[in-house]
C-alpha cells in the first residue's frame, strides 16, 4: 500500500509578529528610560526562539515581550544583561582578572550547573559581575526593591542572581574599589 503525500504548510506569521513586538518594545523602553549609559553595542538582533546572548551580535528572544509590565521589565533586564557583556570587552583585562580572582576568594566553590549557575566555573564568576551590573542598572531605573524581586524571578542563573541580590551592598563596595563602576558609568547603588 502506497502512502499518500501530505501537505505541510509553514506559517511564520506569529513568530514574525512576536519579533516585531520585541523590536517595538525595545524602542519604547529606550524612549521611556535613559539607557544610553548602559549601551555598549547598538547592533541588536531579535531571534524569537534563541537563548539571549551577547556575541557576536547582541541577541534577544521574545520570551518577555507580551504580558504585564513586569514581564516587559524582564525583557529590559535581559537587554541590559547582554549589554554588560559588551561593556566588559573594553574593561582592562588585567583588572578584570584581578577582580575575578577577588571574587574567587570571596566565593570559593561558587559554580553550580545550569539553571542555578552558568555553563562553567569561569562563566559563573564572570556572571557575578554581569548580573550585579544588570541588577544595579535596573535599580537605578526602577528602584532596588523592585529590581531585586525581578531578577530573583528569573529561572536561569538562579544561584548567581540570589548571590548578587543578597550581597548587593558588599559587591557594590568591591566593584567601586576595583573601578568597575566608573568604567561602565553606573549610577546609584
Amino acid at each position: 500500500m502506497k502512502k499518500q503525500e501530505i501537505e505541510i504548510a509553514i506559517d511564520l506569521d506569529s513568530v514574525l509578529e512576536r519579533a516585531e513586538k520585541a523590536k517595538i518594545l525595545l524602542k519604547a523602553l529606550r524612549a521611556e528610560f535613559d539607557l544610553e549609559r548602559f549601551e555598549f553595542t547598538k547592533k541588536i538582533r531579535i531571534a524569537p526562539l534563541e537563548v539571549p546572548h551577547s556575541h557576536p551580535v547582541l541577541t534577544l528572544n521574545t520570551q518577555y515581550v507580551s504580558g504585564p509590565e513586569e514581564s516587559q521589565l524582564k525583557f529590559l533586564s535581559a537587554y541590559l544583561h547582554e549589554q554588560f557583556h559588551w561593556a566588559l570587552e573594553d574593561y582592562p583585562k588585567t583588572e578584570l582578572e584581578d577582580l575575578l580572582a577577588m571574587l574567587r576568594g570571596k566565593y570559593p566553590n561558587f559554580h553550580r550547573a545550569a539553571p542555578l549557575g552558568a555553563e562553567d566555573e569561569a562563566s559563573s564568576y564572570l556572571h557575578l559581575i554581569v548580573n550585579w551590573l544588570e541588577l544595579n542598572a535596573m535599580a537605578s531605573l526602577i528602584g532596588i526593591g523592585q529590581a531585586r524581586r525581578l531578577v530573583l524571578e528569573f529561572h536561569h542563573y538562579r544561584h548567581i542572581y540570589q548571590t548578587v541580590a543578597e550581597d548587593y551592598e558588599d559587591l557594590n563596595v568591591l566593584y567601586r574599589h576595583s573601578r568597575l563602576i566608573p568604567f561602565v558609568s553606573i549610577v546609584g547603588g
Side-chain angles (χ1 to χ4, degrees), residues 125-137:
Y125 284 107
L126 183 68
H127 278 89
L128 276 171
I129 300 170
V130 171
N131 293 27
W132 185 91
L133 289 168
E134 172 191 354
L135 173 60
N136 193 51

Side-chain angles (χ1 to χ4, degrees), residues 40-41 54-55 82-93 96 126 130 180 183-184:
F40 301 90
T41 182
S54 57
H55 288 77
E82 302 309 338
Q83 285 286 357
F84 288 123
H85 279 288
W86 278 90
L88 293 180
E89 289 288 309
D90 292 329
Y91 192 65
K93 297 299 177 211
L96 181 60
L126 183 68
V130 171
L180 174 71
F183 175 79
V184 294

